[in-house]
Amino acid sequence: MVKAIIFDVDGTILDTEQAILQSLQRTLLEETDQQYSLEDLRFALGIPGKDTLMRLNIDNIDEVHRKWSAAVLDFSHEVTVFENLEEVIQQLAAKSPLLGIVTSKTTQEVTDEFDPFGLSHYFKHIVSASDTEKHKPHPEPLLKCLDALQVAPEDAIYIGDSIYDFQCAKQAGAKFALALWGAKTTNGFEEADYVLYEAQDILSL
């Protein structure tokens, strides 16, 4: 029996791909005078922003991360909730499974970028990148959320779109459901427990 359904945010609940990549591209151009293609920056989807900047060998990570976080808001008009997902979350919240979130956004980014969509109150617990020392693909964030919900990993499903989400779920001992609307491919997810083609498929879990 499924006792908890945990969601990733970027690429799972919110279609944030263009906002994240375009704001990063602009920030890097301003800070380093280097023009990165959006494809070169796709690795940033699904991991904390500071981890992204570390991989890009940015020196003043804290300052650049603040500028990037501010720049994301300039692209907020491009961010939407994936089709039918709000209605599905409402239906789930009215049923028995506990709902949670494990995201690579910081607490401030959750406040600025997720809360405005009016969905936060449906979730019993939210774990952000500010809440743990280790981040996805490490299982610590998901285990922290499950501990707060008092649900064993084997009784939970983590819904995400990135390989980091998959690895986090597997290492935590939870089931993983691939949000295909965000992932756009099943390559690398052959061992996913479920593949969700559209939001309504979540209700069948």
Side-chain angles (χ1 to χ4, degrees):
M1 179 181 172
V2 177
K3 295 181 180 178
I5 297 179
I6 316 297
F7 287 79
D8 171 48
V9 173
D10 294 322
T12 302
I13 296 177
L14 299 183
D15 187 356
T16 53
E17 180 177 310
Q18 289 304 309
I20 290 171
L21 295 182
Q22 289 182 44
S23 59
L24 176 57
Q25 182 186 53
R26 189 181 81 184
T27 302
L28 291 172
L29 181 61
E30 292 172 352
E31 294 297 314
T32 69
D33 284 330
Q34 285 186 265
Q35 179 72 55
Y36 291 84
S37 72
L38 296 182
E39 193 58 37
D40 288 340
L41 300 175
R42 285 189 64 82
F43 76 90
L45 300 172
I47 60 174
K50 290 185 179 180
D51 289 1
T52 294
L53 297 176
M54 198 177 301
R55 292 192 193 187
L56 289 166
N57 297 314
I58 301 300
D59 292 329
N60 47 339
I61 287 178
D62 288 342
E63 181 184 345
V64 175
H65 185 254
R66 280 194 296 273
K67 290 181 178 179
W68 179 17
S69 295
V72 168
L73 301 180
D74 291 340
F75 294 89
S76 58
H77 60 282
E78 299 222 19
V79 178
T80 58
V81 178
F82 281 105
E83 186 177 6
N84 298 322
L85 206 45
E86 182 171 357
E87 293 84 353
V88 167
I89 289 170
Q90 289 171 346
Q91 290 181 58
L92 287 173
K95 295 182 178 181
S96 54
L98 294 169
L99 300 185
I101 280 177
V102 170
T103 176
S104 292
K105 289 185 181 299
T106 64
T107 298
Q108 189 61 53
E109 288 167 345
V110 170
T111 299
D112 293 340
E113 302 168 27
F114 182 66
D115 288 352
F117 288 93
L119 301 175
S120 300
H121 67 282
Y122 291 113
F123 298 93
K124 299 291 185 185
H125 196 71
I126 295 176
V127 173
S128 76
S130 305
D131 298 320
T132 59
E133 288 187 15
K134 296 183 173 69
H135 309 295
K136 296 185 290 187
H138 195 279
E140 183 180 344
L142 183 53
L143 291 173
K144 184 178 180 70
C145 185
L146 292 172
D147 184 58
L149 295 174
Q150 297 186 308
V151 172
E154 60 268 24
D155 295 327
I157 297 174
Y158 185 38
I159 302 175
D161 66 298
S162 77
I163 197 67
Y164 311 114
D165 299 327
F166 170 71
Q167 292 167 345
C168 176
K170 291 293 105 178
Q171 292 183 73
K175 295 180 178 66
F176 178 73
L178 177 65
L180 197 57
W181 52 86
K184 300 180 179 66
T185 179
T186 56
N187 291 341
F189 297 99
E190 289 79 10
E191 295 183 26
D193 298 284
Y194 309 96
V195 176
L196 308 173
Y197 293 88
E198 56 186 11
Q200 289 92 333
D201 292 343
I202 298 172
L203 298 174
S204 68
L205 295 175

